[in-house]
Amino acid sequence: MADVRILAFESSCDETSAAVIKNGREIESLIIATQIKSHQRFGGVVPEVASRHHIEVITQITEEALKEAKVDYQDLDAVAVTKGPGLVGALLIGVNAAKALSMAKDLPLIGVDHIMGHIMAAQLVDEISYPALALQVSGGHTELVLMHDPLHFEIIGDTRDDAAGEAYDKIGRVLGVNYPAGKTIDNWAHQGKDTFNFPRAMIDEDNYDFSFSGLKSAFINTCHHADQIGEKLDKYDLATSFQAAVVEVLTTKTLRAIEQFKPKTFILGGGVAANQGLRESLLGQIPKDVKVIIPPLKLCGDNAAMIGAAAYNLYKAGDFADLTLNADPSLELPYADSYFA
Ligand code: KG4
Ligand code: ZN
């Protein structure tokens, strides 16, 4: 088969990104314009501000992506875009850019699920052997996904409330850490002791779901109570205790899923994949016969390269969209109940 070159877009949250990907494996260019600074002062992503930034930069980053890859529109075989989940206004900027190019340059259009994209970042790093299992942990998601092949993904576990990264950001705020707080809390967690023994929610339950809001509340209550009685708590011990709870739950459920589904490949993805404690815990305990792929940080956060990787698999399957393609803010991979009695 001749080379397949895809121009991909990602604009579901607070990064605008364009990339040119060859054969679903090779990054010819990747441009990411982050908006974090604009959202920082609000302590989280403001949807209106996000859409406005996307529209300001999307034309320019498209040109940069083509230039960096040293290609022109006639060298492309398709244009791909994240269709959901995400912020609807933000998604629409990418979807409309992709539709406009598809029409103007007569290129097939491919709509990609954002979570499928995150997981397919692994395809840019190494060959994925199937079945594969992915733990996708970010500011918006905490999911265990079972992949039968490059096109059939099923969620076997999901968060019932806050995502893991969201919990990091919320407890970080209580400790006066700027958004996004994960990295700082992770650093502090290596300097204290697990003295608070926070709850490990759902750890013994017979499912692969997660819940982090009880942990978050326990953390916040502990801090407020200490405040009220004028007691000063050690921020390092707080961070260590919080991280120990998150890491133990994520690791325990992942190992249990590996035992049940016996994947050939395990993939860790999403912004929280940067977490040193989580990496050490998983790498130390996943059976040696399972191939582990942890993409570099640039590919763990939101980026268009992962969308181009996933789009290649859809391209090969002939799964194209038409100009009725719309943003779907609550798009979800199928949830697999069938494995649980
Ligand atoms: O995937 P991502 O860049 O954006 C989405 O949410 O889609 O993930 C960002 C999240 C934030 O919540 C941030 O606090 C968290 O990833 N994060 C971390 C670490 N680095 C980033 N959480 C824990 N430990 C880290 N080292
Ligand atoms: Zn994401």
Side-chain angles (χ1 to χ4, degrees):
M1 189 165 153
D3 285 340
V4 175
R5 187 173 274 117
I6 296 178
L7 170 66
F9 291 104
E10 154 64 39
S11 69
S12 66
C13 190
D14 59 348
E15 344 273 347
T16 327
S17 180
V20 176
I21 303 300
K22 191 166 114 184
N23 299 332
R25 295 288 310 268
E26 201 181 310
I27 302 175
E28 294 194 315
S29 66
L30 171 57
I31 312 292
I32 304 173
T34 181
Q35 316 172 352
I36 277 192
K37 284 219 153 54
S38 303
H39 299 289
Q40 229 155 25
R41 64 196 146 115
F42 302 108
V45 177
V46 184
E48 292 297 325
V49 175
S51 312
R52 201 164 296 215
H53 278 295
H54 287 310
I55 209 160
E56 276 166 14
V57 300
I58 196 143
T59 309
Q60 191 191 334
I61 65 159
T62 306
E63 281 164 16
E64 279 177 40
L66 294 173
K67 196 167 156 212
E68 189 176 298
K70 300 189 177 60
V71 296
D72 209 336
Y73 288 107
Q74 63 261 26
D75 303 313
L76 299 174
D77 297 286
V79 54
V81 63
T82 305
K83 61 181 176 182
L87 303 169
V88 67
L91 287 164
L92 276 170
I93 310 297
V95 166
N96 283 324
K99 278 161 71 168
L101 282 179
S102 162
M103 191 164 73
K105 307 292 179 187
D106 200 19
L107 288 165
L109 180 65
I110 302 170
V112 178
D113 180 293
H114 182 75
I115 300 299
M116 192 184 253
H118 266 299
I119 295 168
M120 279 302 142
Q123 195 173 275
L124 298 162
V125 176
D126 205 341
E127 195 165 325
I128 303 172
S129 305
Y130 295 90
L133 179 81
L135 174 64
Q136 170 57 34
V137 268
S138 67
H141 322 276
T142 309
E143 283 160 350
L144 273 167
V145 181
L146 182 65
M147 298 127 76
H148 304 281
D149 58 52
L151 295 169
H152 294 97
F153 291 30
E154 285 177 316
I155 294 180
I156 57 163
D158 200 349
T159 180
R160 299 268 176 98
D161 38 58
D162 292 5
E166 187 182 354
Y168 268 91
D169 296 336
K170 286 181 177 163
I171 66 106
R173 198 188 297 192
V174 177
L175 298 180
V177 180
N178 259 350
Y179 167 87
K183 193 169 175 211
T184 305
I185 302 297
D186 187 15
N187 286 339
W188 290 359
H190 287 79
Q191 300 171 54
K193 288 195 257 352
D194 180 5
T195 52
F196 290 94
N197 208 5
F198 288 129
R200 273 82 166 145
M202 301 181 75
I203 197 162
D204 293 322
E205 282 185 26
D206 195 15
N207 58 50
Y208 296 109
D209 286 344
F210 305 96
S211 164
F212 293 106
S213 82
L215 167 62
K216 177 192 69 186
S217 303
F219 185 100
I220 294 173
N221 290 341
T222 301
C223 293
H224 282 175
H225 179 69
D227 242 15
Q228 278 164 356
I229 60 171
E231 188 189 347
K232 182 121 183 67
L233 300 177
D234 185 292
K235 65 178 184 183
Y236 298 121
D237 288 348
L238 281 167
T240 309
S241 305
F242 173 80
Q243 180 144 312
V246 173
V247 168
E248 192 179 326
V249 174
L250 290 175
T251 306
T252 304
K253 296 232 156 168
T254 301
L255 292 175
R256 213 179 285 151
I258 288 176
E259 208 178 291
Q260 179 174 358
F261 297 105
K262 303 195 172 24
K264 294 200 172 106
T265 312
F266 171 74
I267 297 164
L268 179 64
V272 184
N275 190 271
Q276 284 306 325
L278 181 61
R279 283 171 176 243
E280 283 159 21
S281 170
L282 287 170
L283 286 172
Q285 296 183 70
I286 288 178
K288 296 290 169 257
D289 56 344
V290 179
K291 177 189 220 171
V292 176
I293 308 180
I294 305 180
L297 278 194
K298 190 174 182 184
L299 298 179
C300 282
D302 289 347
N303 70 86
M306 67 188 198
I307 301 304
Y312 173 73
N313 303 331
L314 296 165
Y315 180 97
K316 280 203 306 185
D319 191 348
F320 296 106
D322 59 29
L323 293 177
T324 62
L325 180 69
N326 202 355
D328 182 350
S330 43
L331 185 68
E332 271 186 72
L333 293 170
Y335 196 98
D337 293 313
S338 52
Y339 300 110
F340 314 108

